Amino acid sequence: MLPRLLLAIVPLLGIALAQDGSISGPTSSPEAAGYSCDSSKCKLPDCNCASTDPPGGLKPEDVPQFIVYTADDAVQSYTLDSVNQFLARRKNPNGCSIKMTYYTSLNYTNYTLVTDWYVAGNEIADHTMTHVGDPPVDEINGNLIALNALAGIPMSSIKGFRAPYLAYSVNTLKRIKDAGFTYDSSASASIPVTDSNTDAFWPYSLDNGMANDCLAVEGICKGEPKLPGLWEIPMYALFDKRGPEGVHLMDPWLDNANGENAVNDSATLEYMKSTFTDHYNNKRQPFGLYTHPIHTAPNYPGVPPLNSTINMINQFLDWAQNQQNVWIVSSEQLLDWVQHPVPISQLDQVQSLKCSTPQVDSSKKICNGIPQNEEGLLSHCAFPDFPFYTCYGCPQEAPTPSNPNPSQQVPDGQQARIRLPANCSTPFWDPIAGECICTASTCAFSDNSRPIGPNGANLTGGGTGADSAQASQSSNPYVPFNGSGALKSLPSGVLPAIIFGAVGALIGVLGIAAHL
């Protein structure tokens, strides 16, 4: 009965959840923005005016073409498998593995996989605890606290925020500013870069207010809200043959292209390439791939993988990486370059783009986010709504926005796990012994980056082959602690919880979509 119920409900979820972050037309205009910024006073690295021109006065031909890759929602083995089938075998022009940003909400999230994903070099950002639009303070700050306490992510490393459903308000921006975030990435750039009135601005600080979503969010733009120190990384839309009327934002491969009545992977690939080319040949504004990994998971239970779509996305990335000076980056990496812009010839000096691998003895048994080190050391927190694993000890009750860090369970004969302190890095912290296994001078990270190829050519990246889905699965990329395979190892009761939770999300999406 359960597989049939899952099969019946998931296609509906795929259709509805594709609306999570969808837009139907321009969300701003120069008149609505009423934006003004004095670039002689607003200077990098702390301030940047909203502009279509590259930062630092660089010419477009001296600027890399960044592809920003992000994922939203829960972190599970099947969502990481989904990301890996696109990124695990790829490298940037300096030979470093691709890093991405995971905007994490904690409903149905396996905490230890968040730790593993972070220690592997990816960015973990805030997407609220229970995935609510225009979130209150406890949803935002509770996520910070839980990610720190149960996934061991340093507070200082959680820099970014994205509002669920992209439903944010002036108050949302003020709340994340008060919480100490560096940037938000919820606003849409919804006008093609080829249009003279485009709102495809490079990331900018909010010293002079917002310049995006002026027609969609009440009380922003015309110089408001002024939030010095907070940055906006716009989400750059894609456009099919209809131009501004054929706009696509998150998970564009789930949309029907060109007004057709069915998904067409070939048509989607065509407009992905076309939009990328427009960015590349104009002012090199970043190009975004904003995903909900569950939609392209290769092993979600009871649902056949979308192999044609998976192959199409890999085909696009193969093609894009064959262009000169193309880098696939996280939101954090993009913002670091914007704040400290250098020409292509100096990209190998940018620290955030380099390879950074923690040097930890692989034979040492330590619960530190490196799968081969932590086998057998994880705590299994068997909550009925959704169980998870963690290195940092199970809480006595499931975390909630009002209580994101409950008291820890301490099994008989064991000691409490010690949470990550501020003066140690996650891969070097032993939560069982309660000690940092290195000192400031011995916490070593290797850098295996290499010189960039002639003319910025990517000599190391791309090329997953024509049968990308099979190639990615048969490679040996990052392996979660519990191996591949979606929910096969989870206790009973988990699948019903996912279904009911997903139905709740569906209802919420439909309610929000009515206001978009």
Side-chain angles (χ1 to χ4, degrees):
M1 177 64 184
L2 181 58
R4 291 186 179 182
L5 175 60
L6 191 63
L7 282 170
I9 208 166
V10 167
L12 176 61
L13 289 175
I15 295 170
L17 292 179
Q19 299 178 46
D20 185 346
S22 67
I23 54 178
S24 58
T27 61
S28 190
S29 69
E31 296 77 18
Y35 182 82
S36 177
C37 180
D38 185 347
S39 59
S40 67
K41 297 179 180 178
C42 180
K43 295 184 177 181
L44 295 170
D46 300 319
C47 184
N48 193 42
C49 295
S51 174
T52 59
D53 293 324
L58 294 174
K59 297 178 180 178
E61 59 266 28
D62 293 329
V63 170
Q65 179 62 64
F66 290 115
I67 298 176
V68 186
Y69 196 103
T70 72
D72 285 16
D73 299 343
V75 177
Q76 277 290 343
S77 59
Y78 54 87
T79 65
L80 298 188
D81 288 346
S82 178
V83 174
N84 273 323
Q85 68 189 338
F86 302 123
L87 301 185
R89 301 182 66 188
R90 301 183 183 279
K91 295 184 184 296
N92 274 320
N94 61 352
C96 294
S97 299
I98 305 300
K99 308 304 178 189
M100 53 78 70
T101 299
Y102 212 118
Y103 293 94
T104 309
S105 56
L106 296 188
N107 269 8
Y108 312 115
T109 278
N110 192 340
Y111 286 85
T112 196
L113 292 182
V114 179
T115 312
D116 295 356
W117 200 240
Y118 170 76
V119 170
N122 300 286
E123 180 187 10
I124 300 298
D126 193 324
H127 198 48
T128 76
M129 288 198 76
T130 66
H131 203 269
V132 295
D134 193 12
V137 171
D138 61 355
E139 282 280 353
I140 298 169
N141 294 352
N143 208 21
L144 285 173
I145 293 168
L147 284 169
N148 175 253
L150 293 171
I153 311 301
M155 286 283 195
S156 60
S157 295
I158 307 173
K159 301 176 180 179
F161 178 84
R162 175 170 291 161
Y165 315 109
L166 307 186
Y168 70 97
S169 67
V170 170
N171 285 333
T172 307
L173 298 172
K174 290 179 178 178
R175 288 166 190 153
I176 64 174
K177 162 68 174 174
D178 291 342
F181 285 91
T182 300
Y183 72 86
D184 170 71
S185 187
S186 305
S188 306
S190 58
I191 303 173
V193 296
T194 52
D195 191 305
S196 60
N197 289 326
T198 184
D199 57 352
F201 304 117
W202 281 84
Y204 58 96
S205 62
L206 299 189
D207 296 64
N208 298 278
M210 284 282 286
N212 293 88
D213 282 351
C214 306
L215 299 173
V217 180
E218 184 178 356
I220 68 170
C221 298
K222 299 187 184 300
E224 295 297 332
K226 291 181 173 63
L227 299 170
L230 183 66
W231 289 69
E232 183 62 38
I233 301 179
M235 300 174 67
Y236 304 93
L238 290 78
F239 302 90
D240 62 29
K241 291 179 179 179
R242 296 171 293 169
E245 300 305 314
V247 60
H248 308 271
L249 193 57
M250 300 200 75
D251 308 298
W253 35 83
L254 300 180
D255 297 344
N256 299 341
N258 307 318
E260 299 175 3
N261 56 11
V263 170
N264 182 328
D265 289 325
S266 296
T268 302
L269 177 61
E270 181 181 350
Y271 78 68
M272 287 173 67
K273 286 184 175 182
S274 174
T275 303
F276 177 94
T277 301
D278 287 341
H279 282 237
Y280 190 89
N281 288 340
N282 282 273
K283 296 186 177 181
R284 299 275 172 97
Q285 292 101 319
F287 178 93
L289 289 179
Y290 314 113
T291 75
H292 293 91
I294 193 171
H295 294 310
T296 51
N299 47 19
Y300 193 79
V303 181
L306 301 176
N307 284 330
S308 174
T309 299
I310 291 168
N311 288 332
M312 181 276 292
I313 297 169
N314 268 316
Q315 184 179 348
F316 168 78
L317 289 170
D318 288 348
W319 171 83
Q321 285 199 287
N322 282 327
Q323 317 307 312
Q324 290 186 344
N325 304 315
V326 172
W327 293 66
I328 305 174
V329 297
S330 67
S331 302
E332 180 180 29
Q333 288 175 310
L334 170 64
L335 183 56
D336 180 65
W337 182 87
V338 168
Q339 292 176 308
H340 310 92
V342 296
I344 291 166
S345 60
Q346 299 175 30
L347 282 180
D348 54 2
Q349 300 174 26
V350 178
Q351 191 65 36
S352 62
L353 296 177
K354 291 185 177 182
C355 312
S356 182
T357 305
Q359 297 302 288
V360 179
D361 184 354
S362 60
S363 66
K364 186 175 180 64
K365 298 296 288 183
I366 175 176
C367 207
N368 67 340
I370 299 177
Q372 61 266 31
N373 292 350
E374 60 189 7
E375 185 176 357
L377 300 178
L378 297 163
S379 298
H380 178 223
C381 311
F383 294 108
D385 288 341
F386 203 86
F388 57 83
Y389 289 85
T390 176
C391 276
Y392 296 93
C394 292
Q396 292 183 4
E397 57 188 81
T400 63
S402 61
N403 188 16
N405 184 17
S407 298
Q408 188 179 156
Q409 297 178 26
V410 182
D412 291 343
Q414 297 184 24
Q415 295 181 332
R417 300 285 178 98
I418 308 300
R419 303 286 166 75
L420 178 77
N423 61 352
C424 190
S425 182
T426 308
F428 302 106
W429 178 247
D430 185 342
I432 299 175
E435 64 179 9
C436 203
I437 64 172
C438 62
T439 65
S441 61
T442 62
C443 290
F445 290 82
S446 67
D447 175 20
N448 298 318
S449 54
R450 63 161 191 68
I452 300 168
N455 299 317
N458 187 341
L459 303 183
T460 57
T464 59
D467 190 2
S468 303
Q470 286 298 112
S472 297
Q473 288 298 299
S474 63
S475 67
N476 185 26
Y478 162 86
V479 180
F481 81 92
N482 58 349
S484 61
L487 300 179
K488 61 185 180 183
S489 63
L490 294 178
S492 62
V494 170
L495 280 174
I498 292 178
I499 293 171
F500 294 131
V503 172
L506 168 61
I507 294 170
V509 170
L510 293 176
I512 293 292
H515 294 86
L516 290 178

